Amino acid sequence: MMFPLDIIVGLCERSSIAVLKQPKHPNSQFGWISAIPDTESISSKTVGNTVYVVENVSFAPKNATCVITRPDPDKSKWDQNSDHIFISTDLPPITVADILQRRLVNIIQWNDKMAQMLEDGCINQDLLKASESVLKCYVGLSDSTFSHIAHTPNLHPLDKHSQYFVEHGCYSQKTVDQIRQSGLMHKWNSQDFTIANNDESILDGFPYASHVIKRHGRYAAHLIMVSPTRITPHYIFLFNLLAKKVEVCLSRYWRLENPLEQRYTYFLKEVLSGNTYDKAGLEERARMHGLPTTGLFEICVANSAWKTMPTEYFARLILTEIPECKVAVNEEKIVVLICADSNKPQNLIDTEKALCNLAQRMDVEIGVSDRFTHLSKADFALEKARIALNYGHRYSQRYIAFEGQDTETTTMYRFYRYFPYFATDPFAHSEKFIAKLIVRDNPIAGLRTTDKTRGTNDYEILRVYLRSEGHINMVCEIMHMHRNTVMYRLSKIKQAIGEDLDNGDVRMYLRILYLLSD
């Protein structure tokens, strides 16, 4: 591994050794530090790669770069055009060389450790954590929409903007507005190297270094280091080593997780993992990433695309042919978020039908959740879609026997159709899921809540309707209600639960929910 000469200056300063003269060419490279030169055996090749630590210039090998520990006090005799580094210390040369070389070895080991971590499939958070002891500065990584990707976990940020970044997982809207108004995004878009700013910055008064990572010639991610002290070339060298590893890690992440590098992907993956923050934070981040928080939603999961094609290719097809879909990829699974305006349910149906046709054409099976109305419920809807896919794959043939082989039964497996298999499976470990479903994430729980606030009795009307197999007269007799009233309330119930009560699978699903609730 080769180092620039100015890293020696930084290492000396970190060791409390005063530097009297810096090298003329600070970017000249070397690979080793030695304190005992054997001038007779030194070749020109060795001289070029080694920096020697000697007491004064008279001991310096010819044509070699040296660290002089006891320079001539008469500065007029110093060769200012040389690459010699003059320091002031009472330590013997061998001790100075040992200190410097040990620090270089630590850097080599850190760099090798990060390379090994990349081979083992690490994430950016792992790289930043491994860099804390070397950089000793706060480091944060965000994407082009200023949302959180990773930050040093044990080193707290100095400035208030980075503090907000850590606490909320994204930059504040005020900070984003400042960045846009100051034109920093345009500068970052053309930035091709690390920039260190030791003056008072636009956002805060601490020195910082920033490195922009690009994809296809465009600004894609931002790595920033906030330092309590002046950022020297030594720190820039270390920061660049980290930036190269982060760029490799991000490239792999984009390749696997984000086929077309949509700006919402990181945020969508956090929502699907249940990391939704509070209501205000969710709405702010959703707005930044161009996703609605309310409306009509469905989650679809496909995990068999790898059998016929690369998973990434199927994800690209979805985004290309059905741009209304939002896609996230995790290993061999593809998660699709379908969303539509609550006043335009037909748009959701049309998008779902297009996805079904594509899945049938590519011979891919898809599990579909039930509909939900708020983005914060996406993580639980993902569990429902996985259940539908798992049991649909095993039991879909039972429907083909009496319904015919169509796309609805052989390609898309709906949660309400296959939930009964999951609920009655003794090996499913379904207790936690069912408890959560009964508490809040099901249609009849919503009816019960509405009844309490509006004074209606829709919860019991639907129960009687299901038990009587849809006979309106029987409902009227049991509930002591007029037929027109029952018909009106049933229309409101259908609207509220967003499901078709004429569908036998929906009725079976709702009856099981009532049984579990009782």
Side-chain angles (χ1 to χ4, degrees), residues 154-170:
N154 301 315
L155 288 174
H156 299 291
L158 301 172
D159 61 301
K160 59 184 180 182
H161 304 284
S162 298
Q163 183 68 45
Y164 186 98
F165 178 84
V166 171
E167 292 176 356
H168 298 84
C170 63

Side-chain angles (χ1 to χ4, degrees), residues 90 120 124 164 221 226 268 272 318 333 339 373 378 400 420 435 443 458 462 483 509 513 515:
D90 293 327
D120 295 339
N124 286 299
Y164 186 98
V226 183
L268 178 58
L272 293 173
I318 296 174
K333 290 185 175 62
C339 49
T373 57
I400 295 176
D458 291 343
L462 180 59
R483 182 182 180 87
Y509 170 54
L513 288 180
L515 289 172

